[in-house]
Structures are given as C-alpha cells and as structure tokens.
Amino acid sequence: MRQQKPKYKQIIDAAVIVIAENGYHQAQVSKIAKQAGVADGTIYLYFKNKEDILVSLFQEKMGVFIEKIRSEIAGKTSSAEKLYLLVEKHFTWFAEEPHLAIVTQLELRQSNKDLRLRINEVLKGYLDVVDEIIQSGKRAGEFRESLNLRLTRQMIFGTIDEMVTTWVMNDQKYDLVATAKEVHELIVSGCGNH
Amino acid sequence: MRQQKPKYKQIIDAAVIVIAENGYHQAQVSKIAKQAGVADGTIYLYFKNKEDILVSLFQEKMGVFIEKIRSEIAGKTSSAEKLYLLVEKHFTWFAEEPHLAIVTQLELRQSNKDLRLRINEVLKGYLDVVDEIIQSGKRAGEFRESLNLRLTRQMIFGTIDEMVTTWVMNDQKYDLVATAKEVHELIVSGCGNH
Amino acid sequence: MRQQKPKYKQIIDAAVIVIAENGYHQAQVSKIAKQAGVADGTIYLYFKNKEDILVSLFQEKMGVFIEKIRSEIAGKTSSAEKLYLLVEKHFTWFAEEPHLAIVTQLELRQSNKDLRLRINEVLKGYLDVVDEIIQSGKRAGEFRESLNLRLTRQMIFGTIDEMVTTWVMNDQKYDLVATAKEVHELIVSGCGNH
Amino acid sequence: MRQQKPKYKQIIDAAVIVIAENGYHQAQVSKIAKQAGVADGTIYLYFKNKEDILVSLFQEKMGVFIEKIRSEIAGKTSSAEKLYLLVEKHFTWFAEEPHLAIVTQLELRQSNKDLRLRINEVLKGYLDVVDEIIQSGKRAGEFRESLNLRLTRQMIFGTIDEMVTTWVMNDQKYDLVATAKEVHELIVSGCGNH
DNA sequence: GATGAATGAGTTTTCATTCAT
DNA sequence: AATGAATGAAAACTCATTCAT
C-alpha cells in the first residue's frame, strides 16, 4: 500500500478538482501543486510522474468504491438485487462526487493508450464484481445458463458507463440515480417484450 | 457539401492510417501530409486545422456507414431483425476497417471536450437510427411499451460500443462479428431468465 | 518608367487600402490581389515580389507629390514662402489621403532595414527639394549663412515627419493642416525669443 | 517593480546585442537565450512573451536615461542650457551605446502598432522632460510666449530623433555628439536669419 | 522532507512564391 | 496575359521534470 501521509491524499483530491474544472490538458502539475498547497517538486516525492497521479487517483477512488459495493452486496442472496445495488450505488457514487464523474468519464479518457491499459487494470476489480454477480445469477437460475460471461459483463458495464457518460456530457442536469430502476430492468430483461 | 477532389479523401485516408499506427499524439500533420503524398500546407487548403481533419474523418466515415445501415434495415419489418442488422453491420464495418476501429474507439476519444461535442453531433445520426428501431419495435409490440427511449438507446449504444472497444483493446484478436448474435440476444432479452 | 497598364495602378491602390486597414503584417499578397480584383499570380507579372509592391507604391505616390511641390514653389521667390508651401502641401497631401498617411507613417516602417534603405532612395528626391529651399534661402539672406545644410534638412524633415506621425498615431483626429503656419514659424524661428 | 535578479538584466542586454546584430526579424528567442546564457524557457520566467522583452528593454534603458537627464538639468537655470544638455546627453547616450541606438532607431520601429503604443507610453516620460524645459523657458522669457507646447515638443523630439536615425542609417560613421551645438542652435533659433 | 528556479524538447500553421494550364 | 492550387520553410512558447539548497 502507498504512503498514507496527508500530502498524498491532498494531492489526489487537488488533482480531481483541478482536472474537473480545467480539463485534462489544462491541468498542469503546477496547478495541481498550487491547489494542493505544496510545491511543484513535492508532487514528485509522492508520485512517479504526472500519469502516476491519474492512475493513483483512479486506483484510490475506485478501490474504495469497489469495497463499498462488495460489502453492500455481501448480504444479498438475489442476483437481481445485487445487480440493482451495483447500478444504484454506481450512480449514487458519481452523483455525490460530480468532480470525480467528470474526471473518470471525460478527462481520464483523453489519456494515451498506455495509461488506459493501466486504468483497465484497476477496472478489473470492478469487472470482477460484475462477473461474480453474473455467475451467482447463473448458478441460482436467475440468469440464463447460456450467458456468455465476457459479453454479459461488457453489456452491463457498457450500459452503466454510457449512462454516466451521457449524464456528465449533459452537465449532470438530470437525476441519474432516479434512472437506476429502469436501467436495471433494461439489463435484466433487455428491450424485448416477453 | 465539401469538395470531393481526390486530395480531400487522400488526406482523410492518410489520417486514419497515421493515427491508427502512431496514436493520436504522435500523428503530426507533417506525418499525415507525407502519408497522403501532399505538402504540409496543402492540408490547410482542405481542412481548417488539425482538429478539423478528425471531425471530417468521423463525419465522412460515419455518414457513409449510417446510410448503409439505413438502406439495410429499410426492407425489414421485424424490429429484432433490424436491431440484429445494426449490431452485425456495426461489427462487420469495424472488422473490415481495423484502422478506423482503432481511431474511433481509442484515439478519437483522446481529443478534448469541444471536439467530442462535435463528434457527438455526428453520432446523433446513428442514435436516430437506434431510436427509430426502438420506436418501430414498440409500435409493433415486439418491444415493451414501457421502454424509456433515451435509456434504451443508451443501453444499446453503450453495449455495442463497449464490445468494439474491448475488442480493439484486445488487439482485435478474436472474431467480433461472431459475437453479433449473442450481443443481439443480450440486448433484446437482457441477462434475465424468462 | 514602369508599365502603366491599368492593373499596375489597381494593385498599388489596393495595397494602400489593404495595408492601411489591416496593418503591414496582415496585408497578405492574396488579400491585396483580392482587393485589386486579380489573381495572386498576376501580382508577380507586375511586381518582382511583395517588397517591390511597397517600394513601387512609395515611389509612385511620393514621385507625384514631389512634382506637385516643385511646381507649387517654382514661382515663389521668398524661401520662407517656399518652406511654408512645403509644410502646408505635405500636411494637405496626407490629410487628403488618410490611408496613405497610415501606410507611410506607421506600416511602411515595419519593414526591414533593406527596404528602408530603398525607401530612403525615394525620399532623396523630397530631401533635394528641402535642400534647394535651404540653399536659396541662404543665398537670398533669408536664412543664416552658417546653416549646416545636412542638419537643417534633418531638422526640417524630422519636424514635419514627427508632426504627421503624431497626428496619425492620434487617429488623425485633429486638423493637421491648421498647424502648418505654426510649424513653419517653429522651423524658421526656432523656439527662441528674439 | 520588476525583479532585479541578474537574469532579467542578462536577457535584456543579450536582446540588445542580438537584435542590433541580426535585426528584429532574425532575433529569435532562442538566439537571445543563447546569448544570455540561459535556456529558452527561462526567458518566459522573466518576460511574458517576445514583445515584452522589447518593451521592457526600452523601459529599462529609457527609464535610466530619463533619470540621468533630469538630474543633469536639475541644477541649471537657463532653459537654453537645459535644452543643450538634453541634446548633448541624448547624442552621447547613443554614441556610447551603438547597439542600443540601432535597436531603438531602426529595429524597434518594425514592431506592430500595439507595441508602438506601449513604447509611446515609455516615451511619455522623455517628452515630459521636454515639456518642462519649454515651459520653464517660456516662464523665464527665454522662449516665445506664443509657443504651442505640443508642436514645439514635436519639433524638438522630431529633430533630435531624425538626427540620431540618420546617423544610425549612415552606420554611425560620423561624430554625432559633435553636432549637438549646431542642432541646439537650430532648435532655438530655427533656420531664419534674425 | 520540501522547495521552486531552471531546463529544453517538440509541433502547428502561415503565406510568399511558383508554374502548369 | 492570367490563373490559383500547391508548395515547404520557419519559430514562439509550454510544461513535465530535475536538483541544488
């Protein structure tokens, strides 16, 4: 685990604000340092380089979120319910951290392919949770036995991610959390009429 | 309508190749010019600036694709079939233009927010097709009457987009088109077991 | 003498307008060509290069002006009167051609040293007129015998030129011609109280 | 007040040399940096942009000169004597700083109108000194009561400036300071024969 | 640990000029 | 004579990172 000195967190929180408010390309290290109340050079005592701030930021925030999700769904037996909690908590998380939503949905994607591969590593933990829900659903007979794990995971993640991105691109001006129920319904039942 | 002189298309095709092979940030105008077999300055006779190459590229390619989709689904009566064609053609399109897939799924997203808003304008035409399929499905009773148009559209687009992105991130090493049937099934029926 | 084809004059007149209205650095050859109603390439049938337009412009306009001055002072016997006419005609000239005033006083000076040396060649004809006035004044006993020709010429030209430049820098908002009498007085009598 | 660190002055002195020797358009920032013995980027820690180097250079040099003039004429009672000192010191200044003479008389004028307006701001301080001399001369009865302040100031400045410019354009090959007495005489008495 | 002054690599875009038609 | 599409050289400025203090 990384150093937990206060400045480490200060810098990450500063980065979220600076990137959300200025955009990725206008989020200079010096701006982040100023927002964090440290000198430019200090950043490099806690992070290898600028890219490392971004990855660490995502790791830190996503890590906490994944833990929260895991503990939320731990007690539930129904996979549909677990899936609902995943969607609802995901939406609630970003609704409560609008700056972070901008950073993850818009700004972080402006990074290069290498960075995105590292981000995908972090995302792996989230996708594992999705996989577990799908597997348990299949075992319990709630979900179709024939589901392709990888495709289903991508459908779920793609849907949720697109919902959040569209909401952010629309300046977060409608109630994202309120859509959780319908989104969950779409994922479980698709658009078909059974 | 833009000029249809060969050089306009030459430059766009060169841009696709150069961006796909070098990445967005290493795709210098001079590299594109060289690939297109024109002088650097010639680029600026056909495009306002570098960003304009990207938007034009997306417009040009997506425009043609949308027309193709529209004509494909024109004769079909079943909405499920239309939806299947949408997925299958989408996957086939990118499978046949691997360079373009890299550009749209990875490189183009590294652009700034402004550019992405302009890209969304182009995407609008695609989403309109999705909307029309959903609407016709609802009218025909194939799809649930209660479907929220916007959310359903986002579920469909998010799923398809995520499939293509994952495939590209995995170096296009599996058969994307082969997944079309299952993806279609997921969209129509969700992951639930009815 | 240069070609007197209509396009030659068209281009020079266009250059005066374009340079005055856009400034030297924004007066592209293509803009001048457009204003003159000819193709870019046509410019090069009448002028060696862009710099040549400027020198020719100055030659053409200044040449006509010098002739006018010469004929004006031809009949006068008093040197003071000749000097007055020089000042008054100079001011009147620019007051009647405000675009040209901007070009000669501000924009033409943004050129490089080489161009300015060529412009000085043209100016030589003007300074000759000044010299002749000084010489005749000395011969007639109107001006001090001890006057240093070169310095006196520079004093006269420097004063007149500074008056016009200041007037142009102040957006030509006061009546330049109205100052001719006082300026003449300053040149003849200096600021001393005799 | 600007920083007085050695680098600020180093860069200004380097700029004077590089601009004088290469001309304004060939005085690239990298050339100035090299001459100053600093990195290109360091220039931008001390100056907003390239134009700012020029304005600062003129401010710095002219500011010092104006102070010198003021202290020189402070003890004098005769306005003619003050005026003589102004001319003589002005000529001596440039004779002692031939590089600076080239820069102010030729190269600085190649700048655009905006820059010249900023330069005029600096020049204001010089013209104030001229005004004070004229006013004191009028009060003491040395100069004509009827003198128009603005015109007289322009006559004096225009004359001095033209003398220096001509001298620079002639490659400083004669003794400028030696002309001070005659120039002063011209300004005070004009070319008339009283 | 903390600082912040200094570094220097790297790229888009403009525009005078040419020349095939 | 006239055109105008094509050329390609050239430079200011930013900003992630370092390192002496």
Side-chain angles (χ1 to χ4, degrees), chain D residues 7 39 41-42 45-46:
Chain D
K7 285 198 177 154
T42 305
L45 297 177
Y46 296 92

Side-chain angles (χ1 to χ4, degrees), chain C residues 1-178:
Chain C
M1 193 54 111
R2 258 181 203 274
Q3 314 178 47
Q4 288 305 322
K5 309 221 175 161
K7 284 193 180 163
Y8 175 74
K9 278 193 169 304
Q10 264 174 50
I11 293 165
I12 282 186
D13 289 338
V16 172
I17 293 170
V18 170
I19 295 172
E21 291 185 348
N22 298 276
Y24 180 77
H25 290 296
Q26 280 308 302
Q28 293 87 349
V29 171
S30 62
K31 227 179 237 169
I32 295 171
K34 194 172 186 181
Q35 171 78 27
V38 300
D40 293 17
T42 305
I43 300 267
Y44 292 86
L45 298 175
Y46 295 92
F47 301 91
K48 214 167 85 260
N49 51 35
K50 187 183 178 181
E51 193 175 290
D52 191 34
I53 306 177
L54 294 173
V55 175
S56 303
L57 176 166
F58 195 63
Q59 267 173 344
E60 196 77 12
K61 300 291 183 184
M62 187 49 107
V64 170
F65 176 62
I66 292 173
E67 281 322 297
K68 198 186 290 181
I69 285 285
R70 281 196 182 281
S71 70
E72 285 277 351
I73 66 176
K76 312 301 172 190
T77 43
S78 149
S79 292
E81 196 178 355
K82 289 178 185 173
L83 195 50
Y84 176 74
L85 278 168
L86 182 81
V87 175
E88 204 266 350
K89 290 300 165 197
H90 192 128
F91 288 0
T92 301
W93 181 40
F94 282 127
E96 285 173 351
E97 301 215 41
H99 276 151
L100 188 61
I102 294 169
V103 173
T104 62
Q105 304 307 118
L106 301 186
E107 305 302 340
L108 224 53
R109 315 206 170 185
Q110 293 181 45
S111 53
N112 58 41
K113 201 182 174 184
D114 275 355
L115 179 50
R116 246 166 320 151
L117 284 170
R118 296 181 61 196
I119 284 174
N120 277 2
E121 279 307 301
V122 182
L123 216 51
K124 187 77 168 44
Y126 181 90
L127 298 177
D128 285 345
V129 174
V130 177
D131 280 3
E132 289 162 26
I133 295 174
I134 298 168
Q135 299 281 33
S136 75
K138 284 170 76 171
R139 274 197 307 273
E142 282 185 83
F143 295 163
R144 274 183 282 132
E145 184 58 45
S146 62
L147 286 179
N148 176 316
L149 182 62
R150 204 191 65 219
L151 295 187
T152 308
R153 175 212 307 148
Q154 288 171 42
M155 184 269 280
I156 294 172
F157 179 75
T159 300
I160 295 175
D161 190 61
E162 179 67 19
M163 298 290 164
V164 182
T165 299
T166 304
W167 172 73
V168 173
M169 295 278 294
N170 280 286
D171 300 320
Q172 316 186 343
K173 66 181 171 225
Y174 51 86
D175 187 345
L176 179 64
V177 180

Side-chain angles (χ1 to χ4, degrees), chain A residues 120 144 169 187-188 190-192, chain B residues 120 144 148 169 187-188 190-192:
Chain A
N120 278 1
R144 275 181 283 133
M169 295 278 293
I187 291 172
V188 174
C191 53
Chain B
N120 277 3
R144 273 182 282 133
N148 176 319
M169 295 279 294
I187 291 172
V188 174
C191 52

